[in-house]
Amino acid sequence: MSGTTLQAGRPALPVDPDRDCPLCPRLHDFIASWRAREPGWYNGPVRSFLPPEGEAAVRFLIVGLAPGVRGANRTGRPFTGDYAGELLYSTLKRFGMARGEFEARPDDSLELIGTAITNAVRCVPPDNKPVGAEINTCRSFLVPTIARFPNLKAILTLGSIGHQSTVRALGARVAAVPFKHGARCDVGNIAVFSSYHCSRYNTNTGVLTEEMFVNVFRDVAEFLQQ
Ligand code: URA
């Protein structure tokens, strides 16, 4: 099964927005302006990145913030083409969660292993800052995205926006599960791990060091091995 999730008695929910998704007018217009400016770029809502074996192989989901304008918005693959992906994919490889070469292109040889990557907001926002209504609207894709993986055990949220939207998507209250770097909390049968976002800003300012990021992945890897 792909493309939709089936929920008993309810219509199937799409796991990805349409290419011309109109639900967030500001983001739709922003993408339209980039389509005019850079017609060779992807310039659309970015789909989740899955391992070649498909949904059933996914035990671990990473939830980022939103595509970067010259990153996923340009290339069409989450965390591909901007700095944030360098640290993320090298760390995934280090823990056996990815293989191949990451060359910051969607047609490189990088493959995920047991892992999927998505974003809380699928369209590139101006200044990397989605507004609350856009985060809430795009959760209608995050909910079925989480539901599409029948063997999901753990989610890693990158940054507070990804964390809060994931917690809400899982039906929990943010006040009960606040964002904290390095923390793990169990929501239903999913372990939710949290990290500061691996953005260039956070690593340049020392908010997130490589060691801090690696330590979070070590916790996730140990949990998945249990
Ligand atoms: N690229 C993405 O796809 N998501 C982020 O959160 C940052 C960069």
Side-chain angles (χ1 to χ4, degrees):
M1 183 179 69
S2 68
T4 58
T5 57
L6 292 176
Q7 300 193 337
R10 295 203 213 127
L13 295 166
V15 296
D16 293 306
D18 288 346
R19 169 107 189 126
D20 290 310
C21 181
L23 295 178
C24 302
R26 187 181 77 116
L27 303 187
H28 181 269
D29 291 354
F30 190 55
I31 286 187
S33 74
W34 278 101
R35 285 183 185 174
R37 205 166 141 181
E38 295 287 352
W41 288 10
Y42 174 78
N43 290 321
V46 174
R47 291 171 166 248
S48 307
F49 184 18
L50 266 57
E53 296 81 9
E55 310 180 314
V58 173
R59 298 175 69 230
F60 176 38
L61 174 66
I62 297 174
V63 181
L65 169 58
V69 72
R70 290 176 178 74
N73 176 66
R74 176 173 61 84
T75 64
R77 192 175 73 180
F79 289 91
T80 299
D82 54 16
Y83 175 84
E86 305 283 332
L87 179 56
L88 177 60
Y89 287 113
S90 66
T91 309
L92 282 165
K93 283 180 66 172
R94 180 169 176 164
F95 285 92
M97 296 164 174
R99 64 182 158 228
E101 281 310 308
F102 175 65
E103 294 173 77
R105 305 190 314 258
D107 60 349
D108 60 20
S109 61
L110 187 98
E111 289 180 346
L112 297 173
I113 302 171
T115 301
I117 306 177
T118 196
N119 281 306
V121 174
R122 302 296 193 92
C123 292
V124 58
D127 301 321
N128 282 332
K129 288 194 180 86
V131 300
E134 293 159 353
I135 299 162
N136 291 340
T137 297
C138 214
R139 196 173 313 116
S140 62
F141 301 104
L142 182 58
V143 170
T145 293
I146 292 171
R148 74 188 285 197
F149 304 117
N151 297 310
L152 189 66
K153 300 280 179 284
I155 298 178
L156 170 61
T157 61
L158 299 179
S160 60
I161 289 178
H163 175 84
Q164 290 172 5
S165 200
T166 299
V167 166
R168 290 189 173 115
L170 289 168
R173 284 171 43 251
V174 166
V177 191
F179 172 80
K180 184 167 181 286
H181 174 86
R184 168 189 157 190
C185 58
D186 296 341
V187 183
N189 56 358
I190 304 289
V192 179
F193 294 82
S194 311
S195 170
Y196 291 128
H197 194 283
C198 49
S199 64
R200 187 194 291 271
Y201 180 82
N202 278 350
T203 51
N204 277 353
T205 55
V207 168
L208 180 72
T209 63
E210 182 174 352
E211 187 187 3
M212 288 164 69
F213 200 57
V214 164
N215 285 341
V216 171
F217 273 79
R218 185 167 294 118
D219 289 345
V220 173
E222 280 173 11
F223 169 81
L224 290 172
Q225 269 162 21
Q226 281 164 24

